[in-house]
Amino acid sequence: DDTGKDIFVNPKPNSCDDLRPLCIVASPEDRELVSHLVDKYPVKQEPFEINLPNRDHSLQVIPTVRRTMLDGKVRTLFTGRGGGFCNVCKKDIDDVHDPQSAENLMAMDFRTKEDLESEANKYLDESGNVDRSIDSSTRLGITEKPLDMPDGMVVLHARINVTSFLLQHIAKAEAFSDTVSTFNYRRQFNQEERKKIDQALRLYARKVFKKIKIQILQIGYSQTGNGLIGNSCKGFLANAKEVCRLMTNKEEAINIHRVMKRIFVILELLGSNIVFNSSRYAEYCRKTRKMILHSMPWCRITPTVHMVLDHSWEWIKRNGDKGLAQWSEEALEATQKRMRDNRNRGYKGSTRQNLLNAMVRQELTTNPYIQQQLEGCCKERKNNVHRLDTDDPDVQYLLRMSVPVNSSN
């Protein structure tokens, strides 16, 4: 307000109800698009004043533009490390599966954009691009010059991918109950073995759905992550005892149950707004990875599991020993779903008009003031028509600013 006192601070800036897309681009996620967005929407904080309609005073607003809701693919495009096991550190798959490396959890290799640029400059050719003829392990998986080092880490996709990681290894334990203990993390499976694993997973998924009503049938060996949503993953991990009882390989079920319980705690803290001790959290993650390597030596740790167990603690520490709920990409995923639904219900005559109508619907249906006006309206009216208090000045102002232009203009 005029005295400099904060009258409102959004507690959930990444909520799908509060999220407003800066732009909508019909383009694949490639290097050119990410480079364009980095230049057009830099990370910044610029205060400005807005004059309220039909009011005698103005408010000072301080928006902060941060790149928070980025999935793994976009982060790889940012860092330019598409050929590496991890786009944060120099560890490869052998280092991650080395029990001794778990002791060096607190030692990071590099993190900043300057460090990434310094590494990439060693492998540039005469044209200024990364020389792909150099062995990937030598250049640490660097494929392009880095654009930036995004803050935070994926939260929703981490939960989905870690759950998929557990499901795959449950399926392996079920499909090869007699020999799975002799496998190692470099074990390759042929086509027949993959079909056997997929069949075991589908049989196990039916048991889980019958017991705790969690749908994971879309998951397959060749479809990592497909079909799972955040709530399904949370329900699966929260019922670790029940889902492990459904396994026929009881020996491995005990080991997987212990690991699953710890991973559930890690993911819940990671995706929360709770303040906790990041040093103890790091130690808990380190012991979890050692438990996986000791009790499940046949298990192949994925990049996402490595990111959660080896790197999440530092992001939490940088966030003031607080969970990364505000950095989650789930709001972007939910907004994308809403935008897709709005486009399907919108005008089909032209792409421009369809996008414009979808944006109008997105703004109106997610505006908290209009949502309040819609409370108590009949939701069963044809075409979902609601009656607003059109005499209210603020509603008139919002509707007037959001009226789509005619296709002829």
Side-chain angles (χ1 to χ4, degrees), residues 328-359:
S328 174
E329 72 281 15
E330 58 187 335
L332 186 62
E333 297 292 342
T335 302
Q336 181 181 1
K337 180 180 178 181
R338 286 185 176 183
M339 179 58 66
R340 183 175 63 249
D341 294 341
N342 290 335
R343 291 198 64 186
N344 292 335
R345 294 195 298 264
Y347 177 73
K348 300 297 193 301
S350 67
T351 302
R352 178 181 180 277
Q353 191 69 21
N354 179 264
L355 283 173
L356 184 58
N357 288 342
M359 286 291 290

Side-chain angles (χ1 to χ4, degrees), residues 62 68 72 178 191 254 263 291 328 333 391:
I62 307 179
T68 57
D178 298 331
Q191 186 175 2
I254 297 175
I263 286 181
M291 179 183 294
S328 174
E333 297 292 342
D391 295 331

